[in-house]
């Protein structure tokens, strides 16, 4: 696969001069030090493409611009219940519907997790809490290539972050809860 994994490294606490060297845009008068933790990142677009191409190589059916209409189920005599055995899909461009049968159905729907879980059983409680915020792309010199910055308690109570990504910096905050989405929209 062709995705990249990067780990942010430092351990323990880092003293003020080192943090100011790494993040010179920080306010010098209020900074005492920082705690650095390890995390990871990967390029999910490349990973999804690699998985799709690998699946196609092994003769899997590949579909894009589709949505799940409902789950297909069959009786499971051992458990005495119904078991998910596939999905009914709709091509959102043509409106054509088709079935996809499978030994295993994985719910990898991100913000639509609860909607799919409720297709299985309306009594399933919600387990996902969407949130909204602002994210911007800024020049890469705002964070070192190997380390991000997270301020968990800004003066107005929000969390803000600066994360290196593909030679740029992604900065943002996710500060308010929001209602579940019915459709994905880019803004």
């Amino acid at each position: 696969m062709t995705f990249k994994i990067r780990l942010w490294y430092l351990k323990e606490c880092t003293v003020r001069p080192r943090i100011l060297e790494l993040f010179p845009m920080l306010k010098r008068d209020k900074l005492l030090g920082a705690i650095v933790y390890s995390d990871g990142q990967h390029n999910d677009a490349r990973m999804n493409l690699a998985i799709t191409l690998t699946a196609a190589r092994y003769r899997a059916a590949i579909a894009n611009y589709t949505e799940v209409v409902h789950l297909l189920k069959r009786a499971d005599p051992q458990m005495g219940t119904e078991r998910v055995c596939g999905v009914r899909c709709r091509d959102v461009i043509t409106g054509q519907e088709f079935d996809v049968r499978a030994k295993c159905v994985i719910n990898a729907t991100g913000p639509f997790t609860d909607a799919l879980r409720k297709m299985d059983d309306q009594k399933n409680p919600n387990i996902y809490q969407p949130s909204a915020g602002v994210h911007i792309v800024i020049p890469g010199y705002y964070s070192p290539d190997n380390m991000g910055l997270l301020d968990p308690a800004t003066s107005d109570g929000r969390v803000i972050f600066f994360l290196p990504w593909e030679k740029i910096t992604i900065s943002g905050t996710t500060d308010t809860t929001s209602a579940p989405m019915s459709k994905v929209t880019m803004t």
Side-chain angles (χ1 to χ4, degrees):
M1 293 190 176
T2 60
F3 61 93
K4 176 170 70 173
I5 293 179
R6 174 184 299 150
L7 294 177
W8 295 309
Y9 62 99
L10 289 181
K11 305 165 186 149
E12 313 166 9
C13 294
T14 301
V15 293
R16 185 177 181 273
R18 177 74 174 134
I19 291 299
L20 289 171
E21 177 186 324
L22 294 167
F23 297 95
M25 75 291 209
L26 293 175
K27 291 182 180 177
R28 297 173 178 277
D29 58 331
K30 296 187 179 186
L31 180 68
L32 301 175
I35 297 173
V36 182
Y37 71 99
S38 295
D39 204 341
Q41 64 176 245
H42 74 280
N43 187 323
D44 57 339
R46 287 185 184 198
M47 182 187 75
N48 288 336
L49 181 59
I51 290 169
T52 302
L53 292 173
T54 302
R57 184 178 307 130
Y58 288 95
R59 299 179 17 199
I62 306 298
N64 201 7
Y65 296 100
T66 58
E67 63 186 0
V68 174
V69 176
H70 66 265
L71 300 175
L72 303 176
K73 295 183 177 185
R74 65 173 170 75
D76 184 346
Q78 291 177 333
M79 300 297 288
T81 59
E82 287 188 317
R83 184 166 184 242
V84 175
C85 62
V87 295
R88 177 81 172 173
C89 293
R90 177 184 302 121
D91 182 317
V92 297
I93 296 173
T94 67
Q96 181 182 2
E97 292 188 7
F98 55 95
D99 292 343
V100 177
R101 302 215 174 260
K103 292 178 184 175
C104 177
V105 174
I106 297 171
N107 183 353
T109 57
F112 306 107
T113 294
D114 289 330
L116 191 67
R117 292 177 71 248
K118 288 183 186 297
M119 285 183 190
D120 183 36
D121 182 351
Q122 280 295 317
K123 296 179 203 154
N124 279 334
N126 288 345
I127 60 171
Y128 174 78
Q129 176 56 63
S131 60
V134 175
H135 301 84
I136 60 172
V137 176
I138 56 179
Y141 54 75
Y142 282 100
S143 63
D145 285 342
N146 60 353
M147 185 182 301
L149 172 75
L150 173 78
D151 184 346
T154 60
S155 59
D156 62 0
R158 294 182 296 163
V159 171
I160 190 168
F161 61 84
F162 294 83
L163 300 173
W165 180 254
E166 304 281 333
K167 305 293 182 203
I168 55 154
T169 297
I170 298 173
S171 179
T173 181
T174 305
D175 55 358
T176 58
T177 59
S178 63
M181 298 183 298
S182 59
K183 299 284 182 191
V184 173
T185 56
M186 300 298 288
T187 58

